[in-house]
Amino acid sequence: MDTLVFALLLAAALIIVFVDKRWLVVTSWIVATVAAFALFFHHVTSVLPLSF
Amino acid sequence: MQNLPGKLGFWAQVAFIGAYVGILSTAMFVFQFGLNEMPCPLCITQRMAMMAASLGPVYIITSALRNRLITTKFMVGLGMAIVGAVVGAVMSTRQVELHIMPGDPGYGTAIMGLHLYTWALITFIVVLVFAGALLLFGTEFQPVAPEAKWARTLAWIVVWAFIATIAINMVVVFVEEGFNMYLPDDPTGYELLKQLGITK
């Protein structure tokens, strides 16, 4: 999954450089960022035993 | 000098990308390859957030270099930087809290007393302050691309160095992850090399 998320980020970067369409830039960026956050969420497996 | 704030704004965005290229390269070439410290899954997601935040300035700079930067694009770029930094700050805060208990040695080598995930949190806060400060001035620092050829070439080199950084990270994480769905919580080696029988 990590490789795929980096691929999405790379695709977003190439779209920014080569395609000057704002909706496409924003959409590709949102997809990549949500994928990165979803991957992070997958790794958050337990509640921390902390109390502030 | 004509439109000094615009030119300062341009180079500030270039410096933003250059700084993250340096940070990401140091994490990979010094800590991962040099000191053989395998990045954990949370470290990798923080690298992703740094890249997501940097895509905003990449959008701003490439638009400015093509003389197509309008205020809307400037705002979109800053929005990408802010949201990317918030996402990254959530990730690094989680890792800081994993090791916050007294006596916990932390994960990996510390630099000046702080571990890499703590430094990552600091960089995300810097991004938020940077973007907030620019927004305080409205369009005053909306970037204006330089006319000198060397300056434009330098800006493109920084942009492409950043894109190369993403590509290199993609390849390296594939070697680290192999054909597994996810990285192990505490990686000890390169899974792809083990799966191909190159290492044990």
Side-chain angles (χ1 to χ4, degrees):
Chain A
M1 291 303 284
D2 299 65
T3 312
L4 287 177
V5 178
F6 277 117
L8 289 172
L9 286 163
L10 183 61
L14 293 174
I15 285 170
I16 286 171
V17 171
F18 290 112
V19 185
D20 192 27
K21 287 197 168 78
R22 186 155 50 92
W23 69 268
L24 196 53
V25 167
V26 173
T27 304
S28 61
W29 181 84
I30 288 173
V31 169
T33 305
V34 168
F37 194 76
L39 182 63
F40 162 75
F41 205 70
H42 169 81
H43 287 292
V44 177
T45 51
S46 59
V47 176
L48 296 175
L50 299 173
S51 176
F52 293 103
Chain B
M1 188 183 282
Q2 202 175 11
N3 201 350
L4 181 62
K7 287 181 178 168
L8 278 176
F10 180 86
W11 289 111
Q13 302 287 342
V14 174
F16 179 137
I17 302 172
Y20 264 140
V21 168
I23 289 166
L24 289 163
S25 299
T26 303
M28 176 173 289
F29 294 109
V30 176
F31 287 89
Q32 186 170 347
F33 295 154
L35 300 175
N36 204 27
E37 286 185 8
M38 301 302 292
C40 66
L42 291 182
C43 307
I44 294 292
T45 60
Q46 285 162 66
R47 290 185 192 181
M48 291 168 180
M50 288 177 182
M51 292 170 187
S54 302
L55 285 175
V58 169
Y59 184 47
I60 292 170
I61 287 172
T62 52
S63 299
L65 285 167
R66 294 190 168 113
N67 295 322
R68 290 180 191 163
L69 182 63
I70 55 175
T71 303
T72 304
K73 288 184 175 179
F74 182 45
M75 296 296 125
V76 168
L78 289 179
M80 290 157 76
I82 290 169
V83 176
V86 169
V87 168
V90 169
M91 295 166 173
S92 50
T93 300
R94 162 77 188 189
Q95 197 168 5
V96 167
E97 290 188 340
L98 273 174
H99 302 288
I100 204 168
M101 297 298 277
D104 190 306
Y107 186 91
T109 305
I111 306 171
M112 292 189 285
L114 300 179
H115 290 273
L116 292 187
Y117 39 86
T118 311
W119 283 112
L121 178 58
I122 290 169
T123 71
F124 292 127
I125 292 169
V126 169
V127 168
L128 292 173
V129 173
F130 170 79
L134 286 181
L135 288 170
L136 271 179
F137 289 92
T139 56
E140 188 72 14
F141 290 98
Q142 182 169 317
V144 174
E147 289 167 13
K149 194 177 178 187
W150 69 266
R152 298 174 72 87
T153 305
L154 178 62
W156 276 116
I157 288 172
V158 173
V159 167
W160 280 104
F162 172 72
I163 293 172
T165 303
I166 302 178
I168 293 168
N169 267 275
M170 185 179 71
V171 172
V172 171
V173 87
F174 175 59
V175 177
E176 189 182 347
E177 192 170 60
F179 294 103
N180 302 314
M181 277 291 282
Y182 301 101
L183 284 168
D185 285 341
D186 195 5
T188 54
Y190 294 96
E191 293 295 318
L192 184 66
L193 301 182
K194 292 177 189 171
Q195 288 165 350
L196 295 177
I198 297 171
T199 59
K200 288 184 181 177

